[in-house]
Amino acid sequence: MAVRVLGYLESARNLTGSAAALGGLALTFAGFAGPYWPVVVGGLYGAGALLAPPRRPPAPAFEEPSSRLDELRADLVTLRAYLDRVDLPTGAAERLAALTGLLDGLLAPGWVSEALAEDPEGVHGVVRAVRRDVPECVDTYLRARWWTRLAPGARAPEEELERQLTLLHAEAQALVDGLRETEELRQRSHTKYLEDRGGGVPPVGRPPEP
């Protein structure tokens, strides 16, 4: 109870109301309130308390979206360490290097990863590629390769792995293209804003009209 009372005494409502009440006392001493000065002072206090902005709790401070990618960057390092221990055919190794290169670029700290962090579906795609798709592609290839040595199948595991990595690279490239298009749209929107503002500057490559 004492804490609540002390909290109210320090609140903006009480301080504003008290300031208004002091103004009422000043009017009383100046002779404007007369015998009704308690009503005037009380009324001004109540009006001031009502006009004061309400007390509000501070909003929670959540992590910046880009900071959530730190754990994913660490997972990519772990994935690379795993891939370095795996013997892959040349074609698959080249496709895998191209794919991990795209993932590296997307997760590199800076404005690129900040743009990625604002795209929940894009982040989900990268998480899925790093934590599930790539490890599963490589692991199933290693398993299938062993079985194929005992009993050759209809399709070589190397071909299947290259096909899988090609599909994953296409998904990552589509994400990169989407983020690039977003930046291009932002740039064009700013150009349109400048044109609508009436700058009168002709487009690049077109001479001004006489």
Side-chain angles (χ1 to χ4, degrees), residues 131-166:
R131 296 178 178 172
R132 189 185 71 184
D133 290 340
V134 173
E136 186 172 346
C137 287
V138 174
D139 186 60
T140 53
Y141 159 73
L142 296 175
R143 294 169 182 267
R145 184 180 64 175
W146 187 87
W147 284 108
T148 303
R149 290 173 179 173
L150 298 180
R155 186 169 183 175
E158 291 79 7
E159 296 178 7
E160 199 72 38
L161 176 61
E162 290 185 20
R163 176 60 178 162
Q164 292 172 347
L165 294 177
T166 299

Side-chain angles (χ1 to χ4, degrees), residues 75-161:
D75 291 341
L76 182 58
V77 172
T78 302
L79 175 62
R80 281 187 172 277
Y82 162 70
L83 297 176
D84 289 341
R85 300 194 304 269
V86 177
D87 182 23
L88 297 177
T90 303
E94 291 176 350
R95 286 171 171 76
L96 189 57
L99 172 59
T100 54
L102 282 180
L103 297 176
D104 269 333
L106 287 168
L107 293 175
W111 65 269
V112 175
S113 61
E114 291 173 359
L116 172 64
E118 298 297 330
D119 182 358
E121 292 186 4
V123 173
H124 176 70
V126 175
V127 169
R128 184 176 54 197
V130 171
R131 296 178 178 172
R132 189 185 71 184
D133 290 340
V134 173
E136 186 172 346
C137 287
V138 174
D139 186 60
T140 53
Y141 159 73
L142 296 175
R143 294 169 182 267
R145 184 180 64 175
W146 187 87
W147 284 108
T148 303
R149 290 173 179 173
L150 298 180
R155 186 169 183 175
E158 291 79 7
E159 296 178 7
E160 199 72 38
L161 176 61

Side-chain angles (χ1 to χ4, degrees), residues 19 53 56 58 61 82 96 107 145 166 169 182-183 185 187-188 192:
R56 60 182 181 83
Y82 162 70
L96 189 57
L107 293 175
R145 184 180 64 175
T166 299
H169 184 275
T182 299
E183 294 301 328
L185 178 60
Q187 184 186 32
R188 290 196 297 270
K192 183 67 166 57

Side-chain angles (χ1 to χ4, degrees), residues 195 200-208:
E195 291 174 347
V201 179
V204 176
R206 181 184 301 175

